[in-house]
Amino acid sequence: PEILDPALLRPGRFDRMVTVDRPDKKGREAILKIHSRGVKLAADADLRELAARTPGFAGADLANVINEAALLAARRGKNEITKDELAEAVERAVAGLQRKSRVLNDKERRIVAYHEAGHAIVGELLPHANPVIKISIIPRGVAALGYTMNMSTEDRYLMTRDELVDNACALLAG
């Protein structure tokens, strides 16, 4: 609604306005089941786990993850999507494509490694920070030379002051 022309939102233009919020974990799992109907999933591909790893994703984001995982599986010569393709598809959605052509020298790689380790160590030591899922020094996207992926283990709508401070500390620790 915030991007629509105000003239469209004047009284009488529409009988109802339906606001669709981003899905919760249960909703994401249901959406993933719909979008994965036409693809073959390996036994280790757990949609419940994938739904838990994708808080904040909208339906289109989830469809993109399934499509990206299917493309990855096909490129790898697989007949089914495994947990690895799903994990890589989420990383692509969050951090962008790997930039293996962006070659860092040894000094730069060491700096990136220390930087990411700073995020990870502080994130793990602070009791209220989101848990670290993965650390990488492979460049991704437009500007990231590495990344530390940390995600909440559940859908959250509020954060306490301690959680905000700990997450800020983990972000600044690089």
Side-chain angles (χ1 to χ4, degrees):
E2 63 274 1
I3 63 171
L4 294 176
D5 185 320
L8 289 173
L9 300 175
R10 282 197 301 253
R13 294 288 179 169
F14 297 101
D15 291 339
R16 296 182 196 275
M17 185 179 298
V18 178
T19 303
V20 179
D21 202 1
R22 293 187 185 270
D24 60 6
K25 182 177 165 184
K26 187 176 179 180
R28 290 191 303 276
E29 184 178 356
I31 291 168
L32 286 165
K33 284 179 182 174
I34 290 168
H35 288 296
S36 64
R37 278 188 202 154
V39 298
K40 187 172 180 182
L41 296 174
D44 70 346
D46 185 356
L47 295 181
R48 179 173 286 140
E49 179 184 320
L50 181 60
R53 290 190 59 181
T54 52
F57 278 43
D61 300 322
L62 297 168
N64 183 45
V65 166
I66 296 295
N67 290 336
E68 193 66 42
L71 290 170
L72 285 166
R75 284 186 200 119
R76 294 172 179 174
K78 296 181 178 180
N79 294 328
E80 56 190 12
I81 297 172
T82 68
K83 185 178 185 175
D84 292 338
E85 282 83 35
L86 291 173
E88 175 65 21
V90 171
E91 286 183 56
R92 286 182 175 201
V94 171
L97 294 173
Q98 285 187 0
R99 300 285 182 206
K100 290 184 179 178
S101 62
R102 187 178 293 156
V103 180
L104 303 176
N105 63 39
D106 289 340
K107 182 180 177 184
E108 290 171 325
R109 269 200 316 275
R110 178 172 281 130
I111 291 168
V112 172
Y114 277 115
H115 175 89
E116 298 306 332
H119 291 305
I121 291 169
V122 172
E124 281 297 304
L125 290 175
L126 295 174
H128 304 290
N130 287 330
V132 174
I133 305 295
K134 182 175 183 178
I135 306 163
S136 175
I137 60 168
I138 297 173
R140 279 191 178 267
V142 177
L145 298 177
Y147 64 96
T148 300
M149 183 183 289
N150 52 359
M151 291 187 180
S152 176
T153 55
E154 59 189 6
D155 288 332
R156 301 290 307 271
Y157 302 102
L158 297 172
M159 292 179 81
T160 66
R161 182 182 187 285
D162 289 339
E163 290 167 334
L164 285 169
V165 169
D166 283 4
N167 283 321
C169 287
L171 288 170
L172 293 171

